[in-house]
Amino acid sequence: MDFLGILCLLILATTLAGHFAHRAGIPAVIGEILVGVILGPALLNWVHLTTLVQTFSDIGVVVLMFIGGLESNLALLRKYLRPAIIVAIIGVIFPVVIMGLASRFFQFSWFESLFIGVIFSATSVSISVEVLKEFKVLDTKEGATILGAAVADDIIGVILLSIMIAMMGGQSGVAQTNLGIVLLEQVGFFIGVFIVIKWVAPYLMRLSDHLLMAASPTIMAIIICLALAWLAELVGLSGAIGAFFAGVAIAQTDYQHVVDVSIEPVGYTTFIPLFFVSVGLNMTFKGVWQSLPFIVVMTVLGVLTKLWGCGLGAKLNGFSRHSNYLVGAGMISRGEMALITAQIGFSAHLLSNDYYSDIILVIIVVTMIAPFVLKNAIHRAVVWERMQGVRWGYWCVSQTFIFVVSVNYCTITSKNGTFVKSIVQ
């Protein structure tokens, strides 16, 4: 089956899967991931993760995060920057320590155990962004905290991976990474992002109005998006981070709505569904029964370490119980970030071949669980807000009733002269 046939099959299958997932009250991304599981090597073995499918998937991540940036509130991101950093730090410590120690229980070396913890410290917020968008919670304090924490989480993850490769370099023959240069490059990238948001993007978007091309503002926005995604990858970050900040930059201009309306149909018809399918295509059940205890334990810890760790970070910043749960749930998904980290570590001999496929399976299962937990957290938060509204309504009604009764009483007593006498006295 050639690529066009595969593309047609996957778009049809993801459309139907998303439709029935909605009907069943399940996040649409779950249906799309299941398409990859069913059609891929795990079950039917009809579709494989070829170079073209992977390329479409990579573009899908970039487009999804670009849309997420377009629909984000920069003021909220700034306001909740400190909570986001604390959430990210605690959300990295929990999986590194707890999952690292759990790996020792399964007879991994200390070095391998530490690396497994590093793999599961990475958060892929792209799937969470889709669920937050679906339930209209992206532009909230919790959404801003999740997005900010994901950026900080990515930076911390790259630093930890660089340290481990540097430590392993002499033994494995892998070129050692200069951590100082990596950090300097990433600082330079974020300085560049600030310049793009403040001056470059507004100038280029105004310039695009003078180009004699159809949809020239959208074309210019895509150029900015791809350029920042490419630069992010050059400094060791995920291209999704660059795409997100490109979206934030365009959102500060007068062209935000035009670009958003133009980009969404392109992304959601082709590229974004293929990203979710690619997650399922990575899954395989080969040798799963022999490693079942390891897979179950690591899956449970993969969910709980982010849920508890990031939730604790939110709590330390004064968030409510329901907001803590929502922030923690939004950081559970691992997705492409953990897969990339695992692949890099495997190539650098930080992880043995025996357990590599099991780690990949755990990453995918955790990623599939994440939208369910996030939906539950959103539902609880919405119910709690409604209850608060009802309580406020009851309070207002009761105070109004007391006021009306008091006024009527005063009116009646004043007619009898009692009210006047009491004032004179």
Side-chain angles (χ1 to χ4, degrees):
M1 190 182 295
D2 60 18
F3 178 69
L4 291 179
I6 292 173
L7 189 58
C8 179
L9 173 63
L10 292 179
I11 291 174
L12 174 62
T14 52
T15 302
L16 293 174
H19 168 75
F20 288 114
H22 271 300
R23 289 286 298 271
I26 299 171
V29 296
I30 292 297
E32 294 171 344
I33 293 172
L34 284 174
V35 167
V37 175
I38 294 168
L39 298 181
L43 293 176
L44 297 179
N45 202 28
W46 289 357
V47 181
H48 297 88
L49 198 59
T50 62
T51 304
L52 277 174
V53 174
Q54 184 63 61
T55 301
F56 270 58
S57 167
D58 293 341
I59 296 173
V61 178
V62 168
V63 173
L64 178 59
M65 292 304 293
F66 179 65
I67 294 172
L70 273 175
E71 298 181 2
S72 295
N73 187 323
L74 184 59
L76 270 179
L77 288 172
R78 286 173 177 164
K79 183 177 180 181
Y80 293 103
L81 178 61
R82 179 180 172 275
I85 292 173
I86 294 174
V87 166
I89 292 172
I90 300 179
V92 166
I93 292 173
F94 266 55
V96 168
V97 174
I98 296 174
M99 298 190 75
L101 291 174
S103 300
R104 280 293 294 162
F105 179 77
F106 289 98
Q107 308 305 314
F108 283 89
S109 68
W110 276 109
F111 202 80
E112 285 181 323
S113 299
L114 182 59
F115 179 64
I116 289 172
V118 170
I119 291 173
F120 286 96
S121 71
T123 293
S124 171
V125 79
S126 47
I127 291 175
S128 295
V129 164
E130 177 60 19
V131 178
L132 292 170
K133 272 170 54 62
E134 183 178 337
F135 292 98
K136 309 286 190 298
V137 211
L138 183 61
D139 195 14
T140 61
K141 70 173 184 178
E142 293 85 2
T145 303
I146 291 168
L147 288 169
V151 174
D153 185 287
D154 196 23
I155 296 169
I156 297 170
V158 169
I159 293 171
L160 290 176
L161 182 60
S162 301
I163 291 172
M164 295 209 68
I165 291 176
M167 290 169 61
M168 191 70 179
Q171 304 172 37
S172 62
V174 178
Q176 291 198 13
T177 305
N178 190 322
L179 187 59
I181 292 177
V182 170
L183 289 174
L184 193 61
E185 288 174 343
Q186 291 181 5
V187 169
F189 171 77
F190 284 105
I191 292 173
V193 163
F194 173 78
I195 294 171
V196 168
I197 293 175
K198 192 76 174 174
W199 294 290
V200 178
Y203 172 76
L204 291 178
M205 294 307 293
R206 287 194 301 270
L207 181 65
S208 68
D209 263 344
H210 302 287
L211 298 176
L212 303 179
M213 289 288 294
S216 54
T218 304
I219 294 171
M220 186 61 73
I222 290 175
I223 291 170
I224 294 170
C225 169
L226 295 177
L228 280 183
W230 172 64
L231 289 173
E233 290 188 343
L234 276 184
V235 300
L237 295 169
S238 166
I241 298 299
F244 170 75
F245 281 111
V248 171
I250 303 301
Q252 308 315 303
T253 69
D254 297 331
Y255 302 87
Q256 187 263 349
H257 178 70
V258 174
V259 174
D260 195 14
V261 169
S262 303
I263 290 288
E264 277 208 9
V266 176
Y268 282 99
T269 51
T270 307
F271 297 107
I272 295 173
L274 258 68
F275 160 61
F276 296 125
V277 168
S278 71
V279 174
L281 291 177
N282 277 292
M283 183 177 283
T284 175
F285 296 126
K286 184 180 178 181
V288 67
W289 294 111
Q290 290 85 346
S291 307
L292 191 59
F294 173 76
I295 292 169
V296 170
V297 169
M298 299 307 281
T299 299
V300 171
L301 291 178
V303 172
L304 294 181
T305 49
K306 282 291 183 182
L307 185 64
W308 290 343
C310 297
L312 175 61
K315 183 178 181 180
L316 292 176
N317 284 283
F319 282 31
S320 69
R321 181 164 54 90
H322 297 281
S323 292
N324 300 341
Y325 181 30
L326 181 50
V327 170
M331 296 292 288
I332 290 173
S333 177
R334 301 313 201 275
E336 81 280 357
M337 285 309 303
L339 292 171
I340 291 168
T341 304
Q343 178 59 45
I344 292 172
F346 178 67
S347 302
H349 306 292
L350 298 175
L351 189 65
S352 67
N353 190 42
D354 297 337
Y355 277 91
Y356 176 68
S357 58
D358 297 331
I359 294 292
I360 298 299
L361 181 58
V362 172
I363 291 170
I364 294 168
V365 173
V366 169
T367 301
M368 291 181 68
I369 291 172
F372 287 106
V373 182
L374 183 54
K375 182 190 173 184
N376 179 261
I378 292 170
H379 175 71
R380 287 194 177 191
V382 169
V383 169
W384 183 77
E385 282 185 8
R386 287 176 181 169
M387 288 177 64
Q388 292 295 103
V390 169
R391 288 172 184 168
W392 172 252
Y394 281 145
W395 185 86
C396 290
V397 170
S398 65
Q399 295 303 307
T400 304
F401 178 75
I402 292 169
F403 175 75
V404 169
V405 170
S406 301
V407 169
N408 289 335
Y409 174 75
C410 292
T411 304
I412 293 169
T413 54
S414 64
K415 287 180 180 179
N416 296 328
T418 309
F419 182 69
V420 176
K421 289 178 183 178
S422 64
I423 291 178
V424 171
Q425 290 175 357

